[in-house]
C-alpha cells in the first residue's frame, strides 16, 4: 500500500494536464484500477486481516481522490492565470484618437458669405472654371486688344497646331458668371457666385489659384445706393461689427460704369490689424453699375434694366477675419 501511495502521489503531482490526470484516476481508482482491485481482494481475506486492511485501503482511496481533486484545481488555476496573463488589457490606457481635420478657412468664409447674401435674397450661381474667352473677356466689354487681357495674366488652354478657334482660358475672375446668369435667367436677377479663379501670378502675396465671390443684382431701378447698402450690410454681418465704414473710390473696370473700388475701415497697431476702427483703409473689392454692353451681351435690354455688380476676394477677407 505504501508503494501504491508513493507511486500515485508522485504521478499525480507530475501530471501535466487534465487528460493525464484522468488517465491516472482510471488507473488508480477506476473500476479496474489498482486500488479498486485491491479492495475487491478484501473478500478473500480472513476477517482479522480485513479489519486492518479495509480501513487502510479506504483511507488510501480517499487520499488518492483528494490528491486528484487538488491537482485538478491547481491545473485549472494555472490555466486561468495563463489566460489572464495573455489576454491582459489595460483599460486605463488613453484611447487611440483619430486625427480630425477642420474646415479650411476659405471654405468656411465661402459658406459664411453665401449665407449672408442668401439672407438678402441672392441665390448662388455657378460657371465653369475653364471658360470660353468670350465669356471671360469679350462679353464683359474687354475686346481682344484691350490691355486688361494682358494685365490679368491669363492662363490659356493649349490648342492643337492649326486650330484657329479662340482658346479657352482658366477664368481670371468670376465675372463671366454674370453673363451666364443673365443668359440663363434673364432679368430681374439677384445672384452671387463664389468660385475659383486663376491668374499666372505666383509670389509671396499671389497664388495662381484664388477665390472670388461675384455679386449681380439687376432690376428696373437698381442704383449705386443699393450697392452701397448691400455691401455695408454684408460687411457688418461678416465682421460682426455694427455700422462698419466703407470707402468707395472711383475706379475703372471695362464691365462697369461708373466703377468703384471699395475699402473697409481698419487700424494697424503693433502689427495688429483691427477691422471697423481707426483711420486706415483696406481694399476688398471692385464694383460698379453694370455696363450697358455687358447687359446686352447677356441678352438683357439696357433701356429697361440696370444693375450693380461686385467682385470680392474671398481669400483676402478670410485673412482679415481670421488673421
Ligand atoms: N472682376 C473684377 C476683378 O476680378 C472685379 C469686379 C467684379 C469689378 C464686378 C466690378 C464688378 O478684379
Amino acid at each position: 500500500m505504501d508503494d501504491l501511495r508513493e507511486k500515485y502521489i508522485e504521478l499525480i503531482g507530475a501530471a501535466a494536464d487534465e487528460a493525464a490526470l484522468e488517465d491516472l484516476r482510471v488507473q488508480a481508482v477506476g473500476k479496474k484500477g489498482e486500488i479498486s482491485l485491491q479492495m475487491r481482494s478484501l473478500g478473500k481475506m480472513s476477517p482479522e486481516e480485513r479489519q486492518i486492511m479495509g480501513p487502510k485501503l479506504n483511507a488510501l482511496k480517499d487520499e488518492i481522490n483528494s490528491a486528484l481533486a487538488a491537482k485538478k484545481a491547481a491545473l485549472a488555476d494555472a490555466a486561468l492565470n495563463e489566460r489572464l496573463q495573455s489576454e491582459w488589457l489595460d483599460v486605463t490606457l488613453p484611447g487611440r484618437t483619430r486625427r480630425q481635420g477642420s474646415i479650411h478657412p476659405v471654405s468656411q468664409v465661402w459658406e459664411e458669405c453665401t449665407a449672408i447674401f442668401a439672407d438678402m435674397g441672392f441665390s448662388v450661381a455657378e460657371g465653369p472654371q475653364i471658360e470660353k474667352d468670350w465669356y471671360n473677356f469679350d462679353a464683359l466689354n474687354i475686346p481682344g486688344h484691350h490691355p486688361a487681357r494682358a494685365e490679368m495674366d491669363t492662363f490659356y488652354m493649349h490648342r492643337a497646331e492649326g486650330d484657329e478657334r479662340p482658346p479657352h482660358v482658366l477664368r481670371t475672375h468670376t465675372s463671366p458668371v454674370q453673363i451666364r446668369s443673365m443668359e440663363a435667367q434673364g432679368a430681374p436677377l439677384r445672384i452671387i457666385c463664389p468660385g475659383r479663379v486663376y491668374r499666372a501670378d505666383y509670389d509671396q502675396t499671389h497664388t495662381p489659384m484664388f477665390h472670388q465671390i461675384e455679386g449681380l443684382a439687376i432690376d428696373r431701378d437698381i442704383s449705386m445706393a443699393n450697392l452701397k447698402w448691400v455691401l455695408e450690410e454684408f460687411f457688418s454681418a461678416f465682421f460682426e461689427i455694427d455700422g462698419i465704414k466703407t470707402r468707395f473710390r472711383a475706379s475703372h473696370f471695362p464691365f462697369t460704369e461708373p466703377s468703384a473700388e471699395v475699402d473697409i475701415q481698419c487700424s494697424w497697431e503693433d502689427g495688429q490689424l483691427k477691422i471697423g476702427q481707426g483711420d486706415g483703409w483696406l481694399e476688398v473689392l471692385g464694383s460698379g453699375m453694370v455696363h450697358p454692353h455687358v447687359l446686352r451681351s447677356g441678352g438683357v435690354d439696357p433701356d429697361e434694366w440696370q444693375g450693380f455688380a461686385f467682385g470680392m476676394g474671398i481669400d483676402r477677407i478670410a485673412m482679415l477675419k481670421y488673421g
Side-chain angles (χ1 to χ4, degrees):
M1 280 211 302
D2 285 343
D3 289 349
L4 272 178
R5 173 188 294 111
E6 214 170 285
K7 170 179 156 189
Y8 280 109
I9 293 298
E10 196 182 313
L11 284 173
I12 289 168
D17 52 32
E18 274 196 52
L21 209 56
E22 177 61 11
D23 285 348
L24 286 171
R25 190 190 64 78
V26 172
Q27 267 180 52
V29 295
K31 261 190 189 140
K32 291 176 184 167
E34 273 192 284
I35 294 168
S36 310
L37 289 178
Q38 291 283 329
M39 291 182 100
R40 236 174 271 171
S41 70
L42 283 172
K44 292 173 200 146
M45 293 179 189
S46 66
E48 295 78 31
E49 274 181 316
R50 199 182 303 140
Q51 234 171 24
I52 298 165
M53 292 302 283
K56 280 197 172 179
L57 271 172
N58 267 328
L60 176 59
K61 189 183 172 189
D62 285 349
E63 194 180 339
I64 297 300
N65 271 330
S66 54
L68 283 166
K71 181 65 181 181
K72 191 172 173 177
L75 282 173
D77 270 2
L80 180 62
N81 272 337
E82 196 178 312
R83 254 189 78 189
L84 286 174
Q85 282 294 319
S86 66
E87 292 174 13
W88 183 82
L89 182 71
D90 184 352
V91 295
T92 68
L93 277 177
R96 272 181 217 135
T97 55
R98 222 189 266 190
R99 280 225 198 185
Q100 249 198 343
S102 56
I103 307 246
H104 192 284
V106 167
S107 305
Q108 189 175 322
V109 164
W110 174 315
E111 268 159 32
E112 289 173 17
C113 292
T114 307
I116 295 169
F117 284 115
D119 277 350
M120 293 192 268
F122 288 80
S123 57
V124 173
E126 277 180 18
Q129 294 173 46
I130 297 174
E131 186 57 282
K132 289 183 167 146
D133 77 341
W134 187 81
Y135 281 104
N136 196 79
F137 295 122
D138 304 72
L140 290 165
N141 200 28
I142 312 173
H145 59 267
H146 199 283
R149 291 212 185 193
E151 274 162 31
M152 277 201 166
D153 306 304
T154 311
F155 283 113
Y156 289 90
M157 303 302 286
H158 177 74
R159 274 267 183 260
E161 213 179 313
D163 186 342
E164 293 305 326
R165 290 175 302 165
H168 284 82
V169 300
L170 290 182
R171 67 179 179 199
T172 58
H173 49 181
T174 43
S175 298
V177 182
Q178 289 186 30
I179 308 297
R180 291 182 172 276
S181 301
M182 285 189 268
E183 281 179 343
Q185 300 173 40
L189 187 66
R190 210 180 288 186
I191 57 106
I192 53 159
C193 169
R196 293 181 168 173
V197 299
Y198 302 83
R199 291 183 200 178
D201 203 356
Y202 197 12
D203 61 32
Q204 289 246 284
T205 56
H206 297 88
T207 62
M209 188 280 287
F210 57 104
H211 304 81
Q212 288 187 334
I213 186 161
E214 192 82 8
L216 175 67
I218 293 176
D219 214 321
R220 295 192 187 275
D221 53 8
I222 288 211
S223 71
M224 287 290 273
N226 300 126
L227 170 67
K228 189 164 194 221
W229 183 86
V230 163
L231 291 177
E232 287 184 343
E233 197 71 8
F234 167 77
F235 288 125
S236 295
F238 180 74
F239 290 109
E240 293 161 16
I241 298 168
D242 270 346
I244 197 166
K245 280 207 184 97
T246 57
R247 184 170 74 172
F248 283 60
R249 269 182 299 107
S251 182
H252 174 78
F253 298 102
F255 31 93
T256 46
E257 181 59 35
S259 303
E261 282 178 312
V262 178
D263 307 336
I264 54 172
Q265 185 189 19
C266 70
S267 72
W268 281 101
E269 266 164 44
D270 312 319
Q272 267 278 313
L273 175 72
K274 295 223 173 82
I275 303 294
Q277 62 179 58
D279 47 16
W281 297 97
L282 248 166
E283 185 193 324
V284 284
L285 62 84
S287 66
M289 296 302 292
V290 182
H291 196 290
H293 286 354
V294 174
L295 292 172
R296 226 172 270 122
S297 300
V300 170
D301 181 357
D303 293 328
E304 259 191 80
W305 306 97
Q306 58 186 31
F308 66 71
F310 60 85
M312 183 164 54
I314 294 182
D315 311 74
R316 175 168 293 191
I317 62 166
M319 287 190 279
L320 293 179
K321 181 164 178 181
Y322 294 109

